[in-house]
Structure formats: C-alpha cells, structure tokens
Amino acid sequence: MNEEIIVKIIELLGTFAFAISGIRHAAAKHFDWFGGYVCGIAVAIGGGTIRDVMLGTTPFWMTTPIYIICTAVALLTVAFFGRWMEPLKNAWLVFDTLGLALFTIAGIQKSLVMGQPFWVAIIMGCVTGAAGGVIRDVLLNNEPVIFHREIYAIACVLGGIAYWGGTALGLSVGLTSIISFFTTCLIRFLAVRYHFSLPILKGEEV
C-alpha cells in the first residue's frame, strides 16, 4: 500500500470522526439538520482545504464526492444514534481527538508526498488537524478551542514530531503513522484528564 492510498484512507476516517464531532456541537445548540451538516462539513474539510490551498493543490474534497457523502453518513449517525451515544462518557471527546490525530497524520503525509521539508509538513499537519475546529467554533460563536488553556494544537505538533522521529529511525509509513496517532491521542487525553495547559499570558485589559 503506497503513501497516497494511506493518506486517502486516513483522510476518510478523519472526515467521519471530525464530522461527527462538528455535528454533535451543532446538535448541542439545537441546529436543524442542514445547520448540523454545515458544521460537520466545516470541521471535516476546513483544515484540509486550508492546507491544500497553502500547498498549491486542489482541495482534497473536490477530487471525489466521498467526503461529502461521508459527512452525510455522520449526520445520520448522530441523528439516529446520538441518544445512545450521548450517555457514553467522553464519547464526543474521543471522536474529536480521533479526527485531530488522523488529520494531523494526513496533513504531514500529503506535505511530504508533495516534496515539502519536514518542518513544513509538521505545520501543515497542525493546520489540517486544528483549523477545522476553529472554523466550527466561529460558526457556533464559541471561543476557538486552540485558544483555550487545554492543550489541543500542541498535541498535533508533538504528534508530528513523533512522526518525524519514526521516519528518522527508518520505520515503515504504517508503523510511523501508528506511533504519531497514539502520541497525539495520548497527549490530548492526558491533557484533558489531568488539566495540563500552557502558561497564561498576563496583561492589562485593553
């Protein structure tokens, strides 16, 4: 299985996970189905679209309708099975974290396939993973999650560094992706569980 196929699979899985996360947030604000779909598609394709524009290539979702269809499946999943998913402790956090980790890997891999250096790939991984959530929060009139004290985008960066480390050690793409995936997820889950955060900037109100 070559790298481009792996990128496609990871983008599809990330799309589904992130779409469910976005639709869930819309449901919490009692949006209708269309509003929920818009939020789902925004978080699912937003980061990847920004990444592809910055890399000078056609946005990934414009090459096939599968990502649009995947978001529709996520909408139906939340609409019909959300009541059973809601009682599951941290179920929505899990979907958001899975999307974050998967899209971080997809952003790194696509950047490397296009010949970008690793430092650019890590930044693109962070953009792919975190930017969709920012767009979602703006649509929902919430404070963007990357500005919270809770670690979010930093998990993408550290996951990207883990990917670089695996590549430097000569590990396979599959194994490197697994290491990066679990690194991002672990950091995110630990940050939420133990309230890890970066120091707060202090200053007078303006």
Coordinates of all heavy atoms in Angstrom, one line a residue, residues 63-135:
T63 N -11.9 16.4 -5.3 CA -11.5 15.3 -6.3 C -12.4 14.2 -6.3 O -12.4 13.3 -7.2 CB -10.1 14.9 -5.9 OG1 -10.1 14.3 -4.6 CG2 -9.1 16.0 -5.9
T64 N -13.3 14.0 -5.3 CA -14.3 12.9 -5.2 C -15.4 13.3 -4.2 O -15.1 14.0 -3.2 CB -13.6 11.6 -4.6 OG1 -14.6 10.7 -4.3 CG2 -12.8 11.9 -3.4
P65 N -16.6 12.9 -4.4 CA -17.7 13.2 -3.6 C -17.8 12.4 -2.3 O -18.6 12.6 -1.4 CB -18.9 12.9 -4.4 CG -18.5 11.8 -5.3 CD -17.1 12.1 -5.7
I66 N -16.8 11.5 -2.1 CA -16.9 10.6 -1.0 C -16.9 11.3 0.4 O -17.5 10.9 1.3 CB -15.7 9.5 -1.0 CG1 -15.9 8.4 0.0 CG2 -14.4 10.2 -0.9 CD1 -17.1 7.6 -0.1
Y67 N -16.2 12.4 0.4 CA -16.1 13.2 1.7 C -17.4 13.9 2.0 O -17.8 14.0 3.2 CB -14.9 14.2 1.6 CG -13.6 13.6 1.4 CD1 -13.0 13.6 0.1 CD2 -12.9 12.9 2.4 CE1 -11.8 13.0 -0.2 CE2 -11.7 12.3 2.1 CZ -11.1 12.4 0.8 OH -9.9 11.8 0.5
I68 N -18.1 14.3 1.0 CA -19.4 14.9 1.2 C -20.4 13.8 1.7 O -21.2 14.1 2.6 CB -19.9 15.6 -0.1 CG1 -18.9 16.5 -0.7 CG2 -21.3 16.2 0.1 CD1 -18.6 17.7 0.2
I69 N -20.3 12.7 1.1 CA -21.2 11.5 1.4 C -20.8 11.1 2.9 O -21.7 10.8 3.6 CB -21.0 10.4 0.4 CG1 -21.5 10.8 -1.0 CG2 -21.7 9.2 0.9 CD1 -21.1 9.8 -2.1
C70 N -19.6 11.0 3.2 CA -19.1 10.6 4.5 C -19.7 11.5 5.6 O -20.1 11.0 6.6 CB -17.6 10.6 4.6 SG -16.9 10.0 6.1
T71 N -19.7 12.8 5.3 CA -20.3 13.8 6.3 C -21.8 13.5 6.4 O -22.3 13.6 7.5 CB -20.0 15.2 5.8 OG1 -18.6 15.4 5.7 CG2 -20.6 16.2 6.9
A72 N -22.5 13.2 5.3 CA -23.9 12.9 5.4 C -24.2 11.7 6.2 O -25.1 11.6 7.0 CB -24.5 12.7 4.0
V73 N -23.3 10.7 6.1 CA -23.4 9.5 6.9 C -23.2 9.8 8.4 O -23.9 9.3 9.3 CB -22.4 8.4 6.5 CG1 -22.4 7.2 7.5 CG2 -22.7 7.9 5.1
A74 N -22.3 10.7 8.7 CA -22.0 11.1 10.1 C -23.3 11.8 10.6 O -23.6 11.7 11.8 CB -20.8 12.0 10.1
L75 N -23.9 12.7 9.8 CA -25.1 13.4 10.2 C -26.2 12.4 10.6 O -26.9 12.5 11.6 CB -25.6 14.3 9.1 CG -26.9 15.0 9.3 CD1 -26.8 16.0 10.5 CD2 -27.4 15.7 8.0
L76 N -26.4 11.4 9.7 CA -27.4 10.4 10.0 C -27.1 9.6 11.3 O -28.0 9.2 12.1 CB -27.6 9.4 8.8 CG -28.1 10.1 7.5 CD1 -28.1 9.1 6.4 CD2 -29.5 10.6 7.8
T77 N -25.8 9.3 11.5 CA -25.4 8.6 12.7 C -25.7 9.3 13.9 O -26.3 8.8 14.9 CB -23.8 8.4 12.6 OG1 -23.5 7.6 11.4 CG2 -23.4 7.6 13.9
V78 N -25.4 10.6 13.9 CA -25.8 11.5 15.1 C -27.3 11.6 15.3 O -27.8 11.5 16.4 CB -25.1 12.8 15.0 CG1 -25.6 13.7 16.1 CG2 -23.6 12.7 15.0
A79 N -28.0 11.8 14.1 CA -29.4 12.0 14.2 C -30.2 10.8 14.7 O -31.1 10.9 15.5 CB -30.0 12.3 12.8
F80 N -29.7 9.6 14.3 CA -30.5 8.4 14.7 C -29.9 7.6 15.9 O -30.6 6.9 16.6 CB -30.6 7.5 13.5 CG -31.5 8.0 12.4 CD1 -30.9 8.5 11.2 CD2 -32.9 8.1 12.6 CE1 -31.8 9.0 10.2 CE2 -33.7 8.6 11.6 CZ -33.1 9.1 10.4
F81 N -28.6 7.8 16.1 CA -28.0 7.1 17.2 C -27.4 7.9 18.3 O -26.8 7.4 19.2 CB -26.9 6.1 16.6 CG -27.4 5.2 15.6 CD1 -27.1 5.4 14.3 CD2 -28.1 4.1 16.0 CE1 -27.6 4.5 13.3 CE2 -28.6 3.2 15.1 CZ -28.4 3.4 13.7
G82 N -27.5 9.3 18.2 CA -27.0 10.2 19.1 C -27.5 10.0 20.5 O -26.7 10.1 21.5
R83 N -28.7 9.6 20.7 CA -29.3 9.4 22.0 C -28.6 8.2 22.8 O -28.5 8.3 24.0 CB -30.8 9.1 21.9 CG -31.2 7.8 21.4 CD -32.7 7.6 21.3 NE -33.3 8.5 20.3 CZ -34.6 8.5 20.1 NH1 -35.4 7.6 20.7 NH2 -35.1 9.3 19.2
W84 N -28.1 7.3 22.0 CA -27.4 6.1 22.6 C -25.9 6.5 22.9 O -25.3 5.9 23.7 CB -27.6 4.9 21.8 CG -28.9 4.3 21.8 CD1 -29.5 3.6 22.8 CD2 -29.9 4.5 20.8 NE1 -30.8 3.3 22.5 CE2 -31.1 3.8 21.3 CE3 -30.0 5.1 19.6 CZ2 -32.3 3.8 20.5 CZ3 -31.1 5.0 18.8 CH2 -32.3 4.4 19.3
M85 N -25.4 7.4 22.0 CA -24.0 7.7 22.2 C -23.8 8.8 23.3 O -22.7 8.8 23.9 CB -23.5 8.3 20.8 CG -23.6 7.3 19.7 SD -23.3 8.1 18.1 CE -21.6 8.6 18.2
E86 N -24.8 9.6 23.5 CA -24.6 10.7 24.5 C -24.3 10.2 25.9 O -23.4 10.9 26.5 CB -25.9 11.5 24.5 CG -25.8 12.9 25.3 CD -24.8 13.8 24.6 OE1 -24.8 13.9 23.3 OE2 -24.1 14.5 25.3
P87 N -24.9 9.2 26.4 CA -24.6 8.7 27.8 C -23.2 8.2 27.9 O -22.7 8.1 29.0 CB -25.6 7.6 28.1 CG -26.7 7.9 27.1 CD -26.0 8.4 25.9
L88 N -22.5 7.8 26.8 CA -21.2 7.3 26.9 C -20.2 8.4 27.3 O -20.1 9.4 26.7 CB -20.8 6.7 25.5 CG -21.6 5.6 24.9 CD1 -21.1 5.2 23.6 CD2 -21.5 4.4 25.9
K89 N -19.6 8.1 28.4 CA -18.7 9.1 29.0 C -17.6 9.5 28.0 O -16.9 8.6 27.5 CB -18.1 8.6 30.3 CG -17.2 9.7 31.0 CD -16.7 9.1 32.3 CE -15.9 10.1 33.1 NZ -15.4 9.6 34.4
N90 N -17.4 10.8 27.7 CA -16.3 11.3 26.9 C -16.4 10.8 25.4 O -15.4 10.8 24.7 CB -15.0 10.9 27.4 CG -14.7 11.6 28.7 OD1 -15.1 12.7 29.0 ND2 -14.0 10.9 29.6
A91 N -17.6 10.3 25.0 CA -17.7 9.8 23.6 C -17.4 10.8 22.6 O -16.7 10.6 21.6 CB -19.2 9.3 23.4
W92 N -17.9 12.1 22.8 CA -17.6 13.1 21.8 C -16.2 13.6 21.8 O -15.6 13.9 20.8 CB -18.6 14.3 22.1 CG -20.0 13.9 22.1 CD1 -20.9 14.0 23.1 CD2 -20.7 13.3 21.0 NE1 -22.1 13.5 22.7 CE2 -22.0 13.1 21.5 CE3 -20.4 12.9 19.7 CZ2 -23.0 12.5 20.7 CZ3 -21.4 12.4 18.9 CH2 -22.7 12.2 19.4
L93 N -15.6 13.6 23.0 CA -14.1 13.9 23.1 C -13.3 12.9 22.3 O -12.4 13.3 21.6 CB -13.7 13.9 24.6 CG -12.2 14.0 24.8 CD1 -11.6 15.4 24.3 CD2 -11.8 13.8 26.3
V94 N -13.7 11.7 22.3 CA -13.0 10.6 21.6 C -13.1 10.9 20.1 O -12.0 10.8 19.4 CB -13.6 9.2 21.9 CG1 -13.0 8.2 21.0 CG2 -13.3 8.9 23.4
F95 N -14.2 11.2 19.6 CA -14.4 11.5 18.1 C -13.5 12.7 17.7 O -12.9 12.7 16.7 CB -15.8 11.7 17.8 CG -16.6 10.4 17.6 CD1 -17.6 10.1 18.5 CD2 -16.4 9.5 16.6 CE1 -18.3 8.9 18.4 CE2 -17.1 8.4 16.4 CZ -18.1 8.0 17.3
D96 N -13.6 13.7 18.5 CA -12.8 14.9 18.2 C -11.3 14.6 18.2 O -10.6 15.1 17.4 CB -13.1 16.0 19.2 CG -12.5 17.4 18.9 OD1 -12.9 17.9 17.8 OD2 -11.6 17.8 19.6
T97 N -10.9 13.8 19.2 CA -9.4 13.5 19.3 C -9.0 12.6 18.2 O -7.9 12.8 17.6 CB -9.1 12.8 20.7 OG1 -9.5 13.7 21.7 CG2 -7.7 12.5 20.8
L98 N -9.8 11.6 17.8 CA -9.5 10.7 16.7 C -9.4 11.6 15.4 O -8.4 11.3 14.6 CB -10.6 9.7 16.5 CG -10.7 8.6 17.6 CD1 -11.9 7.7 17.3 CD2 -9.4 7.9 17.8
G99 N -10.3 12.5 15.2 CA -10.2 13.3 14.0 C -8.9 14.2 14.0 O -8.3 14.3 13.0
L100 N -8.6 14.7 15.2 CA -7.4 15.5 15.3 C -6.2 14.7 14.9 O -5.3 15.2 14.2 CB -7.3 16.0 16.8 CG -6.2 17.0 17.1 CD1 -6.5 18.4 16.5 CD2 -6.0 17.1 18.6
A101 N -6.0 13.5 15.5 CA -4.9 12.7 15.2 C -4.8 12.2 13.8 O -3.7 12.3 13.1 CB -4.9 11.5 16.2
L102 N -5.9 11.8 13.2 CA -5.9 11.3 11.9 C -5.6 12.4 10.9 O -4.8 12.2 9.9 CB -7.3 10.7 11.6 CG -7.6 9.4 12.3 CD1 -9.1 9.0 12.2 CD2 -6.7 8.2 11.7
F103 N -6.2 13.6 11.0 CA -5.9 14.7 10.1 C -4.5 15.2 10.2 O -3.9 15.7 9.3 CB -7.0 15.8 10.3 CG -8.2 15.6 9.4 CD1 -8.3 14.5 8.5 CD2 -9.2 16.5 9.4 CE1 -9.4 14.3 7.7 CE2 -10.3 16.4 8.6 CZ -10.4 15.2 7.7
T104 N -4.0 15.2 11.4 CA -2.6 15.6 11.6 C -1.7 14.7 10.8 O -0.8 15.2 10.0 CB -2.2 15.5 13.1 OG1 -2.9 16.4 13.9 CG2 -0.7 15.8 13.3
I105 N -1.9 13.4 10.8 CA -1.1 12.5 10.0 C -1.3 12.7 8.5 O -0.3 12.7 7.8 CB -1.4 11.0 10.4 CG1 -1.1 10.7 11.9 CG2 -0.7 10.0 9.5 CD1 -1.6 9.4 12.4
A106 N -2.6 12.9 8.1 CA -2.9 13.1 6.7 C -2.2 14.4 6.2 O -1.6 14.4 5.1 CB -4.4 13.2 6.5
G107 N -2.2 15.4 7.0 CA -1.5 16.7 6.6 C 0.0 16.5 6.4 O 0.6 17.0 5.5
I108 N 0.6 15.8 7.4 CA 2.0 15.5 7.3 C 2.4 14.7 6.0 O 3.3 15.0 5.3 CB 2.5 14.8 8.5 CG1 2.4 15.7 9.8 CG2 4.0 14.3 8.4 CD1 2.7 15.0 11.1
Q109 N 1.6 13.6 5.8 CA 1.9 12.7 4.7 C 1.7 13.4 3.4 O 2.5 13.2 2.5 CB 1.1 11.5 4.8 CG 1.4 10.6 6.0 CD 0.6 9.3 6.1 OE1 -0.6 9.3 5.6 NE2 1.1 8.3 6.7
K110 N 0.7 14.2 3.2 CA 0.4 14.8 2.0 C 1.5 15.8 1.7 O 1.9 16.0 0.5 CB -1.0 15.5 2.0 CG -1.3 16.0 0.6 CD -2.8 16.3 0.5 CE -3.2 16.6 -0.9 NZ -4.7 16.8 -1.1
S111 N 1.9 16.6 2.7 CA 3.0 17.5 2.5 C 4.3 16.9 2.1 O 5.0 17.4 1.2 CB 3.2 18.3 3.8 OG 2.1 19.0 4.2
L112 N 4.6 15.7 2.7 CA 5.8 15.0 2.3 C 5.7 14.4 0.9 O 6.7 14.5 0.2 CB 6.1 13.9 3.3 CG 6.4 14.3 4.8 CD1 6.6 13.1 5.7 CD2 7.7 15.1 4.8
V113 N 4.6 13.9 0.5 CA 4.4 13.4 -0.8 C 4.6 14.5 -1.8 O 5.1 14.3 -2.9 CB 3.0 12.8 -1.0 CG1 2.6 12.6 -2.4 CG2 2.8 11.5 -0.2
M114 N 4.3 15.8 -1.5 CA 4.4 16.9 -2.4 C 5.8 17.5 -2.3 O 6.1 18.5 -2.9 CB 3.4 17.9 -2.1 CG 1.9 17.5 -2.4 SD 0.7 18.8 -2.3 CE 1.2 19.8 -3.6
G115 N 6.7 16.8 -1.6 CA 8.1 17.3 -1.6 C 8.4 18.4 -0.6 O 9.5 19.0 -0.7
Q116 N 7.6 18.6 0.4 CA 7.9 19.7 1.4 C 8.8 19.2 2.4 O 8.8 18.0 2.8 CB 6.6 20.1 2.0 CG 5.6 20.8 1.1 CD 6.1 22.1 0.5 OE1 6.9 22.8 1.1 NE2 5.6 22.4 -0.7
P117 N 9.6 20.0 3.0 CA 10.5 19.6 4.1 C 9.7 19.3 5.4 O 8.5 19.7 5.5 CB 11.4 20.8 4.4 CG 10.6 22.0 3.8 CD 9.8 21.5 2.7
F118 N 10.3 18.5 6.3 CA 9.6 18.0 7.4 C 9.0 19.1 8.3 O 7.9 19.0 8.9 CB 10.5 17.1 8.3 CG 9.8 15.7 8.5 CD1 10.3 14.6 7.9 CD2 8.7 15.6 9.3 CE1 9.7 13.4 8.1 CE2 8.0 14.4 9.5 CZ 8.6 13.3 8.8
W119 N 9.8 20.2 8.5 CA 9.2 21.3 9.3 C 7.9 21.9 8.8 O 7.0 22.2 9.5 CB 10.3 22.4 9.6 CG 10.7 23.2 8.4 CD1 11.7 22.9 7.5 CD2 10.1 24.4 8.0 NE1 11.8 23.8 6.5 CE2 10.9 24.8 6.8 CE3 9.1 25.2 8.4 CZ2 10.6 26.0 6.1 CZ3 8.9 26.4 7.7 CH2 9.6 26.7 6.6
V120 N 7.9 22.0 7.4 CA 6.6 22.4 6.8 C 5.5 21.4 7.0 O 4.4 21.7 7.3 CB 6.9 22.7 5.3 CG1 5.5 23.0 4.6 CG2 7.8 23.9 5.1
A121 N 5.9 20.1 6.8 CA 4.9 19.0 7.0 C 4.3 19.0 8.4 O 3.1 18.8 8.5 CB 5.6 17.7 6.7
I122 N 5.1 19.3 9.4 CA 4.5 19.3 10.8 C 3.6 20.5 10.9 O 2.5 20.3 11.5 CB 5.7 19.4 11.8 CG1 6.5 18.1 11.8 CG2 5.1 19.7 13.2 CD1 7.7 18.1 12.7
I123 N 3.9 21.6 10.4 CA 3.0 22.8 10.4 C 1.7 22.5 9.7 O 0.6 22.8 10.1 CB 3.7 24.0 9.8 CG1 4.8 24.5 10.7 CG2 2.7 25.2 9.7 CD1 5.7 25.6 10.2
M124 N 1.8 21.9 8.5 CA 0.6 21.5 7.7 C -0.2 20.5 8.4 O -1.4 20.5 8.3 CB 1.0 21.0 6.3 CG 1.6 22.0 5.4 SD 0.5 23.4 5.0 CE 1.1 24.7 6.1
G125 N 0.4 19.6 9.2 CA -0.3 18.6 10.0 C -1.1 19.3 11.0 O -2.3 19.0 11.3
C126 N -0.5 20.3 11.7 CA -1.2 21.1 12.7 C -2.4 21.8 12.1 O -3.5 21.9 12.7 CB -0.2 22.0 13.4 SG -0.9 22.9 14.8
V127 N -2.1 22.4 11.0 CA -3.2 23.2 10.3 C -4.4 22.3 9.9 O -5.5 22.6 10.2 CB -2.7 23.9 9.0 CG1 -3.8 24.4 8.2 CG2 -1.7 25.0 9.4
T128 N -4.0 21.1 9.4 CA -5.1 20.1 9.0 C -5.9 19.7 10.1 O -7.1 19.5 10.1 CB -4.4 18.9 8.3 OG1 -3.5 19.4 7.2 CG2 -5.5 18.0 7.6
G129 N -5.2 19.4 11.3 CA -5.9 18.9 12.4 C -6.7 19.9 13.2 O -7.8 19.6 13.6
A130 N -6.2 21.1 13.3 CA -6.8 22.1 14.2 C -7.6 23.2 13.6 O -8.5 23.7 14.2 CB -5.7 22.8 15.0
A131 N -7.4 23.5 12.3 CA -8.1 24.6 11.7 C -9.6 24.3 11.5 O -10.4 25.3 11.7 CB -7.5 24.9 10.3
G132 N -10.0 23.1 11.3 CA -11.4 22.8 11.1 C -12.2 23.1 12.4 O -13.3 23.6 12.3
G133 N -11.6 22.8 13.5 CA -12.2 23.1 14.8 C -12.4 24.6 15.0 O -13.4 25.0 15.6
V134 N -11.4 25.4 14.5 CA -11.5 26.8 14.7 C -12.7 27.3 13.8 O -13.5 28.1 14.3 CB -10.2 27.5 14.2 CG1 -10.4 29.0 14.2 CG2 -9.1 27.1 15.1
I135 N -12.8 26.8 12.6 CA -14.0 27.2 11.8 C -15.3 26.8 12.4 O -16.2 27.6 12.4 CB -13.8 26.6 10.4 CG1 -12.6 27.1 9.7 CG2 -15.1 26.9 9.5 CD1 -12.2 26.4 8.4

